[in-house]
Amino acid sequence: MVSGNIFHCRKNSWPPQEYISKSTLQLFDYDSSAPPEQAWRRRLNSHANLLKEFRVTFMEAIKMVRLGIRIWSYVREEASHGRKAPIDPFTRESCKPSASQGVPLGGMGSGSISRGFRGEFRQWQIIPSLCEASPVMANQFSIFISREGGNKNFASVLAPGQHEGLGSSRKPDDQGISSWGWNLSGQHSTYHALFPRAWTVYDGEPDPELKISCRQISPFVPHNYRESSLPAAVFVYTLVNTGKERAKVSLLFTWANSIGGSSHLSGDHVNEPFKAEDGVSGVLLYHKTAKGNPPVTFAIAACETQNVNVSVLPSFGLSEGSSTTAKGMWSKMVKDGQFDQENFNSGPSMPSSPGETLCAAVAASMWVEPHGKCTVAFSLAWSSPKVKFVKGSTFNRRYTKFYGTSEKAAADLAHDALTHYNRWEEEIEKWQNPILKDETLPEWYKFTLFNELYFLVAGGTIWIDSPLLSSNMRNDQDRVRELENTVVKETEDKMSDRKRTVVERIMDSTCDSAVITGHDPADEKLSGDDDADVGRFLYLEGVEYIMWCTYDVHFYASFALLELFPKIELNIQRDFARAVLCEDGRKVKFLAEGNWGIRKVYGAVPHDLGTHDPWHEMNAYNIHDTSKWKDLNPKFVLQVYRDFATTGDLEFGVDVWPAVRAAMEYMEQFDRDGDGLIENDGFPDQTYDTWTVHGVSTYCGCLWLAALQAAAAMALDLGDREFAEKCKRKFLKAKPAFEEKLWNGTYFNYDSGSSGNSKSIQADQLAGQWYTASSGLPPLFEDSKIKSALRKVYDFNVMKVKGGRMGAVNGMHPNGKVDETCMQSREVWTGVTYGLAATMILAGMEEEAFATAEGIFLAGWSEDGYGYWFQTPEAWTMDGHYRSLMYMRPLAIWGMQYAINRPKAILEAPKINIMDRIHLSPVIGGYSHNETGVRKITTKARCFNNSVFHCAC
């Protein structure tokens, strides 16, 4: 845990004043209906200001004009084929981004719907890679209150009436939603967020004598690989009557048959009422998607109890021609507070006509006694069992393993959400409470840590049941499993008998084989264990950069998955391990220079798993040829070793070792002067893909040193002593060369070139040391040098930018001026700042770490910030303009938590320096004449026969 010396940090940087009266909170102090103290909060009447996107400078535009022309041409070409380019800086969404986001709904990988802090449902991501940002304003909760005596009546939508989504004109004769009672001011209503839950407390609105708490719960439960995949959410309303009169209260849940945008107008949509067991009843909304995309079914439901009566209106419309209009529905609720019970027998509605909006409603009515309390729960579920990518590949989503592919599965999901949410909450609280109650942690850090996890739901995530095997792949399965069983058994034997290495035994079992095929544990289903096969998982780099599992960014974000869903993390690494040993010879044009190359080179780690046909067509990124990038392969080795060391999963280590070795061998070509270091090639050949590097760079060089150490350690653990020795030899040669070329006595220079920014202070200069320390390996440099470099970054990149209230700028000249070499050098990268803070924690600089990371909270999440909550961007500029909202890299805040409480496996690692355990044989460099089996395997296994990749081997 963190030491107590951070108490003098600004622990109470979260506004200390109460947003809700203590008396109101006490009324809800049961059944989790009161929001926790450590929750992000906003008043509902807060203005959702429009966000400002960054602009390149005139000189940057001049330098990038040729690239811009090529990207524009590529975007048009993709559009002509009905596809969206993975990076499109020219097309703008019709809905301008605003500071309006809140906690998203549902679990991971089954499509997502976000919910703004003022109650609107927005950011629809049901279809892969497609995000409809505009809210669907017909989707609302409303309340109707009447008291005995009839002199106090209230009817209002539970969202502020001054909402931009409603438009400015409201006609008196309008039959649509503007005819509803938008009477809530939001002045006395507050939103509280602690992902995956949120609370909205209405402190006497619209009825001064009725206190209302709405609790939003989604099944995001760490280490629960079943329920965390479910597309469902629950809204639990707790009502407290502080008046002296009995109150009849009706809550209304309305929903449009829509997946965002203009999809509600496409026609052929059908609604149908349903009644399930346990008092659960509601409406199914069958949505026929356009352009051949798989259909979607929504379910809205409520749970009937002894005191709660549930009724439904299966269909109503927003225009005059509808049999029941939105205005007529509202009038019915104002008058009766419920719908006719005969509606349950109405059967499926007539299909909607093109241009017609079909909606449904569920009402729950109850009596609340004076000074009494009542609870009612609603659920929302959606079922879109098939994932169809643009180029044709179709998969079943993960949740279908438990609920099947029927369109009526939505009703079962809605039912189970209402009957299981109490258990979800118990598990969520058990997970979160140790952190929330840790008094050594700043308040802002606690809720920001959890709320940044929104991206694992709203980041366009796809979670499929299992890979689909073709018939020719199946022929190899017996051989694959025979090999796997042999490897695993002998790996375990190694722990007590080191006379023969794992790799020698692999060779014994494969010496007669022409090709070694790979094994994907996700291809097997182990009966009786739902979590044994966790399927395959994808998440976008960002909703604006639509590439799946972008690996140089996953390097920062992966701590969240490793901490919370380690089996998913290991399977992502297996996907990339298979990719390393594959080659795709199809030609691709790289837009930065206009040259051509092949899509995927053997031995190179791909930038991403693709866009329109993931796993089959990798490297959707085509700005640069990423086979020449210098950070991807070291990042692969470092992540694999960290995951291997953390989980202690020997089977995983054996699975990926051939790829680790191949990835290291691939990098040898970039050591052009034989000093053991890799050199950069005078273009932006790493994750900072507009920031040119010359010679040896502190970023890539440090990653390379760390990868040499990690590969040596992993080789030693798996018995590949020859390769361990080789890596150690290289490391002992490269480390002094790195320090000689880059260490200037205070920090490591940006690169060893002679450009105007070669001596810049890079915030990310110790990324390799971050992973080295995270993995329990010995430090790359002397402790004094590590702390000196971090102190320089803190003093310059952090504190000289708005007094530390914005995070760490990527580049800073030693004279204290921001490096304006390119747009990325002058940006603050949110995820890099969190990674820097994690490095500081591991170096014992906790005060500086939390002050550094607090800048991201202050600029992005605080009330005085720029409004980037639940859409944290990749970057912002000195004036707070963003680039790429809803981005993967800010998940790196979980690297801080990982550093605070490193896993047991890491802490209990052998105390002897891993590099000292590797005793060099009298071989001068290279390999001995008796090479190990892994060397031969990586040469032969250029393509796994059972891989779902398209390979040209």
Side-chain angles (χ1 to χ4, degrees), residues 223-542:
H223 306 285
N224 185 327
Y225 295 86
R226 173 180 175 135
E227 287 174 300
S228 295
S229 72
L230 303 185
V234 176
F235 306 89
V236 181
Y237 278 85
T238 302
L239 310 171
V240 180
N241 183 3
T242 62
K244 299 178 180 178
E245 299 166 320
R246 190 181 185 212
K248 182 180 182 183
V249 181
S250 296
L251 286 162
L252 176 71
F253 188 17
T254 52
W255 198 257
N257 198 323
S258 168
I259 57 171
S262 60
S263 60
H264 54 289
L265 302 176
S266 57
D268 265 351
H269 310 312
V270 174
N271 293 354
E272 180 183 17
F274 72 90
K275 265 197 171 185
E277 56 186 15
D278 303 325
V280 174
S281 53
V283 181
L284 288 166
L285 299 90
Y286 305 104
H287 186 85
K288 184 177 181 180
T289 57
K291 300 179 181 179
N293 287 304
V296 182
T297 305
F298 292 97
I300 56 173
C303 190
E304 196 165 81
T305 63
Q306 185 176 2
N307 188 41
V308 177
N309 177 62
V310 176
S311 58
V312 301
L313 182 63
S315 62
F316 67 90
L318 304 184
S319 58
E320 229 175 280
S322 307
S323 58
T324 302
T325 65
K327 184 175 183 179
M329 181 277 298
W330 188 267
S331 299
K332 172 73 172 175
M333 286 299 298
V334 170
K335 180 184 176 184
D336 299 333
Q338 60 187 13
F339 302 114
D340 298 333
Q341 288 296 314
E342 291 78 14
N343 290 345
F344 281 110
N345 304 319
S346 61
S349 67
M350 293 292 292
S352 63
S353 302
E356 177 188 5
T357 302
L358 189 63
C359 303
V362 174
S365 56
M366 67 227 76
W367 285 97
V368 186
E369 300 297 327
H371 307 291
K373 299 179 181 179
C374 187
T375 298
V376 60
F378 293 86
S379 63
L380 166 68
W382 57 96
S383 176
S384 181
K386 298 290 184 182
V387 176
K388 182 181 178 182
F389 293 101
V390 171
K391 290 194 174 179
S393 296
T394 303
F395 303 93
N396 286 338
R397 296 190 193 263
R398 164 77 173 167
Y399 79 90
T400 63
K401 180 175 181 178
F402 318 111
Y403 285 84
T405 58
S406 167
E407 59 186 6
K408 292 185 180 293
D412 295 330
L413 286 160
H415 169 272
D416 289 356
L418 287 169
T419 54
H420 295 164
Y421 75 85
N422 281 320
R423 180 167 47 80
W424 297 347
E425 284 199 290
E426 289 174 5
E427 294 184 34
I428 291 167
E429 289 175 358
K430 183 179 179 181
W431 157 47
Q432 292 184 337
N433 279 344
I435 295 173
L436 297 179
K437 294 178 180 179
D438 185 348
E439 294 185 355
T440 68
L441 297 175
E443 296 302 302
W444 65 264
Y445 170 79
K446 297 175 184 179
F447 61 77
T448 307
L449 176 73
F450 291 114
N451 284 334
E452 287 284 17
L453 290 172
Y454 84 93
F455 191 83
L456 289 177
V457 171
T461 53
I462 300 293
W463 195 354
I464 66 169
D465 181 16
S466 283
L468 302 181
L469 298 179
S470 63
S471 58
N472 65 312
M473 293 173 185
R474 294 180 190 276
N475 295 334
D476 295 322
Q477 290 303 295
D478 291 341
R479 176 62 179 154
V480 170
R481 288 168 185 158
E482 179 184 345
L483 171 62
E484 176 75 4
N485 291 336
T486 301
V487 171
V488 173
K489 181 178 185 302
E490 299 300 349
T491 301
E492 293 170 349
D493 291 345
K494 175 179 73 69
M495 305 310 293
S496 58
D497 178 11
R498 293 183 176 271
K499 292 182 180 179
R500 302 179 68 205
T501 68
V502 175
V503 291
E504 288 171 339
R505 298 185 187 203
I506 293 176
M507 279 306 300
D508 287 348
S509 66
T510 61
C511 59
D512 297 327
S513 175
V515 176
I516 304 299
T517 57
H519 168 65
D520 180 6
D523 294 343
E524 294 185 42
K525 290 187 178 181
L526 305 182
S527 59
D529 185 356
D530 289 336
D531 290 349
D533 168 18
V534 300
R536 273 186 164 148
F537 187 85
L538 298 169
Y539 64 145
L540 291 175
E541 179 177 338

Side-chain angles (χ1 to χ4, degrees), residues 851-869:
T852 295
E854 188 178 16
I856 303 301
F857 160 73
L858 292 171
W861 287 84
S862 75
E863 195 154 19
D864 298 325
Y866 297 108
Y868 295 131
W869 47 81

Side-chain angles (χ1 to χ4, degrees), residues 96-170:
K96 293 183 179 180
S98 63
S100 56
Q101 299 291 357
V103 174
L105 305 168
M108 300 189 298
S110 296
S112 70
I113 306 166
S114 290
R115 192 171 185 228
F117 73 89
R118 294 178 300 181
E120 72 278 13
F121 295 85
R122 57 192 311 141
Q123 295 289 139
W124 301 74
Q125 296 186 81
I126 306 296
I127 297 173
S129 303
L130 180 62
C131 179
E132 294 285 359
S134 301
V136 177
M137 293 304 293
N139 299 348
Q140 296 290 344
F141 285 98
S142 303
I143 193 165
F144 304 84
I145 307 162
S146 61
R147 293 186 178 271
E148 287 186 334
N151 59 338
K152 295 178 182 178
N153 296 303
F154 303 90
S156 180
V157 180
L158 288 174
Q162 301 77 29
H163 198 290
E164 68 271 11
L166 289 173
S168 56
S169 59
R170 299 190 197 177

Side-chain angles (χ1 to χ4, degrees), residues 416-719:
D416 289 356
L418 287 169
T419 54
H420 295 164
Y421 75 85
N422 281 320
R423 180 167 47 80
W424 297 347
E425 284 199 290
E426 289 174 5
E427 294 184 34
I428 291 167
E429 289 175 358
K430 183 179 179 181
W431 157 47
Q432 292 184 337
N433 279 344
I435 295 173
L436 297 179
K437 294 178 180 179
D438 185 348
E439 294 185 355
T440 68
L441 297 175
E443 296 302 302
W444 65 264
Y445 170 79
K446 297 175 184 179
F447 61 77
T448 307
L449 176 73
F450 291 114
N451 284 334
E452 287 284 17
L453 290 172
Y454 84 93
F455 191 83
L456 289 177
V457 171
T461 53
I462 300 293
W463 195 354
I464 66 169
D465 181 16
S466 283
L468 302 181
L469 298 179
S470 63
S471 58
N472 65 312
M473 293 173 185
R474 294 180 190 276
N475 295 334
D476 295 322
Q477 290 303 295
D478 291 341
R479 176 62 179 154
V480 170
R481 288 168 185 158
E482 179 184 345
L483 171 62
E484 176 75 4
N485 291 336
T486 301
V487 171
V488 173
K489 181 178 185 302
E490 299 300 349
T491 301
E492 293 170 349
D493 291 345
K494 175 179 73 69
M495 305 310 293
S496 58
D497 178 11
R498 293 183 176 271
K499 292 182 180 179
R500 302 179 68 205
T501 68
V502 175
V503 291
E504 288 171 339
R505 298 185 187 203
I506 293 176
M507 279 306 300
D508 287 348
S509 66
T510 61
C511 59
D512 297 327
S513 175
V515 176
I516 304 299
T517 57
H519 168 65
D520 180 6
D523 294 343
E524 294 185 42
K525 290 187 178 181
L526 305 182
S527 59
D529 185 356
D530 289 336
D531 290 349
D533 168 18
V534 300
R536 273 186 164 148
F537 187 85
L538 298 169
Y539 64 145
L540 291 175
E541 179 177 338
V543 296
E544 297 177 33
Y545 297 167
I546 51 173
M547 293 164 283
W548 299 110
C549 294
T550 298
Y551 201 74
D552 56 308
V553 185
H554 183 67
F555 175 79
Y556 298 83
S558 57
F559 285 91
L561 285 173
L562 178 62
E563 183 84 7
L564 306 176
F565 298 95
K567 293 182 181 180
I568 290 177
E569 165 64 9
L570 295 188
N571 275 3
I572 290 175
Q573 302 296 8
R574 287 185 171 101
D575 280 339
F576 277 93
R578 282 189 296 274
V580 169
L581 301 178
C582 285
E583 187 163 293
D584 184 341
R586 287 173 287 182
K587 294 291 184 180
V588 174
K589 183 177 182 179
F590 301 113
L591 304 179
E593 301 296 335
N595 57 318
W596 291 78
I598 69 172
R599 178 173 289 278
K600 168 66 181 68
V601 175
Y602 170 79
V605 174
H607 172 272
D608 54 79
L609 293 178
T611 290
H612 300 306
D613 202 6
W615 299 299
H616 293 81
E617 186 179 272
M618 294 169 288
N619 278 334
Y621 177 93
N622 61 349
I623 305 294
H624 299 289
D625 181 355
T626 58
S627 67
K628 298 177 182 178
W629 277 20
K630 309 308 184 296
D631 63 337
L632 287 168
N633 283 40
K635 285 176 174 177
F636 170 71
V637 175
L638 289 171
Q639 287 184 74
V640 163
Y641 181 74
R642 177 205 58 190
D643 297 350
F644 174 64
T646 301
T647 63
D649 191 327
L650 291 172
E651 182 179 356
F652 166 74
V654 173
D655 281 349
V656 300
W657 176 245
V660 170
R661 185 161 172 170
M664 292 297 293
E665 291 170 345
Y666 180 85
M667 295 300 292
E668 292 176 6
Q669 64 183 297
F670 302 120
D671 177 11
R672 298 183 176 90
D673 57 6
D675 64 353
L677 285 173
I678 57 173
E679 283 86 40
N680 294 82
D681 283 326
F683 76 100
D685 50 357
Q686 24 74 44
T687 194
Y688 298 91
D689 58 353
T690 69
W691 200 358
T692 297
V693 194
H694 300 278
V696 177
S697 75
T698 184
Y699 182 69
C700 296
C702 188
L703 289 170
W704 173 242
L705 289 178
L708 284 169
Q709 190 166 245
M714 192 169 182
L716 190 66
D717 285 343
L718 294 178

